[in-house]
Amino acid sequence: MAPRIACGLAIALLAFGAAPTVHAQPADLPIAPADGTPLPKGVRVNKSADGSVYADARGHTLYGMDMRTVLRWAPDPARFCAQDCTREWAPLLAPRGTKPNIRYPMGFEKAAEMPPAEDQITDPRKAPDWTVIEGAAGPQWVYKGWHLVFTRRAAGGSAPPPDDMTWNTLKFVPAPPRIAAPGLVATAYFGGAYALTDRDGHVLFTGHCAAPCAWRPLPAPMASGGLGDWKVSLSGDRAEWTFKGQQVFVSEESDPHAIPRGGRILRPQTSSGENR
């Protein structure tokens, strides 16, 4: 019966668009920004060598166990970390009496036997940042729908994660700022801050470009009337965007977040109107 349940769960997860061997928060994929959900009591954001990470009230780094990666071993991923697993990992438990509000997909047989409560989230993709599931040791925090939250018992709770595909630190990326800019301007988070980019993720910058200038200006539509501090300049061979009277350029470096010497990265503005 167990193989049938595991197979059913794998099929159910593929229907959610989740492969069963996805990293928790792999370094080669973008980390989803925080959605503004209030942090659980005692949880905070700490700075680390790898950027900002979530930590518990003692300062111990929080780690996520990606429930999508344990399908072959656990028909109920929420209860996978028990017995031997708890010698290394301590679950981040919700306060006693907290009612679970998310239920991880259990496979077709299990789902038919245990219909979810009306107020439970059953699609992890639609979950807010912080929810509570019925874990192996009681109500336990879940991050972004998929990651059961733990601390490590070794090395003061902040030991590096093991070299596998199931565990990783829970990294914090702030929610992207709202910007008043042309439609082709976006934002990207790198180096601990947001920057303005074009639609392809190439960072935008200003600066003095000595003649002959090889920097690529940010093109603008001829008919545009501008937007706030963004204006269209028609002084060159084609329409180009300017910001606060300065010409805007697009990075053409091999690293799309790098800019040439003499340039200054454009950052989203603060509420005071100043660039960060």
Side-chain angles (χ1 to χ4, degrees), residues 76-96:
D76 183 354
R79 298 174 181 269
F80 171 73
C81 190
Q83 300 176 348
D84 290 347
C85 176
T86 59
R87 296 174 184 172
E88 182 177 3
W89 299 98
L92 185 69
L93 297 176
R96 184 174 299 179

Side-chain angles (χ1 to χ4, degrees), residues 54-94:
Y54 290 103
D56 69 4
R58 299 166 297 175
H60 294 178
T61 300
L62 298 185
Y63 296 82
M65 186 202 80
D66 191 331
M67 289 186 281
R68 292 168 290 190
T69 67
V70 298
L71 302 180
R72 69 190 73 178
W73 305 293
D76 183 354
R79 298 174 181 269
F80 171 73
C81 190
Q83 300 176 348
D84 290 347
C85 176
T86 59
R87 296 174 184 172
E88 182 177 3
W89 299 98
L92 185 69
L93 297 176

Side-chain angles (χ1 to χ4, degrees), residues 161-165:
D163 185 18
D164 62 33
M165 298 176 66

